[in-house]
Amino acid sequence: MSFEFSDAGRREFDRLLTRYPDRMAVVLPALHLAQRELGYVSDEAIVHIAERVGTSPAYVEGVATFYTMYNRKPVGKYHVQICRNISCSLLGAEHLIEHVSKKLGVAPGETTPDGKFTLSKVECLGSCGTAPVMMVNDDYHENLTAGSIDRILDGLK
């Protein structure tokens, strides 16, 4: 199965190629573009991006797997990512991850059977001053407690 961007995606990709003087710099935004279109970064998208940029699929795969912001498999409607870096851990992130895991009935890295929630532990969400932090799709939630997480997740059902 091959991958092609949508018409709008192709136009965006072409715009990215003109924006960056070094084609390798297009890999990150191209991966974002593929994820926006598919919901994750497929193997086929990696091959397509590599061909368009002029590098190897192994290079693009290395970039896609280095950063936790790229999903290498489909995720649920709501992707719940909880930071476990030092600031968040010191303020209870591991407890919160366990709390969400029990609440959703899935382990980190898994998706609920209804496909609604995927839980992920991530290394850093870049908001140490407001730790502990969780991201649901593109929305940040800060200064979390088990109660605030319950309210957030219950509001999504």
Side-chain angles (χ1 to χ4, degrees), residues 119-141:
L119 174 61
S120 298
K121 295 192 281 189
V122 295
E123 284 306 317
C124 185
L125 290 176
S127 188
C128 297
T130 58
V133 177
M134 171 178 79
M135 196 169 160
V136 180
N137 295 347
D138 293 329
D139 297 325
Y140 267 71
H141 301 277

Side-chain angles (χ1 to χ4, degrees), residues 47-109:
V47 170
H48 181 76
I49 291 167
E51 288 172 353
R52 296 280 321 267
V53 171
T55 189
S56 69
Y59 178 83
V60 178
E61 170 80 18
V63 173
T65 56
F66 179 80
Y67 296 102
T68 58
M69 61 196 162
Y70 299 115
N71 307 315
R72 290 292 286 124
K73 61 183 183 181
V75 295
K77 179 179 180 182
Y78 299 108
H79 189 192
V80 179
Q81 300 176 77
I82 301 177
C83 180
R84 67 174 184 181
N85 212 323
I86 188 69
S87 298
C88 290
S89 289
L90 289 172
L91 294 168
E94 292 301 326
H95 166 72
L96 296 176
I97 291 167
E98 187 178 315
H99 176 77
V100 173
S101 181
K102 284 181 184 173
K103 182 175 181 68
L104 297 178
V106 294

Side-chain angles (χ1 to χ4, degrees), residues 137-150:
N137 295 347
D138 293 329
D139 297 325
Y140 267 71
H141 301 277
E142 303 165 312
N143 300 306
L144 294 170
T145 64
S148 65
I149 287 176
D150 286 346

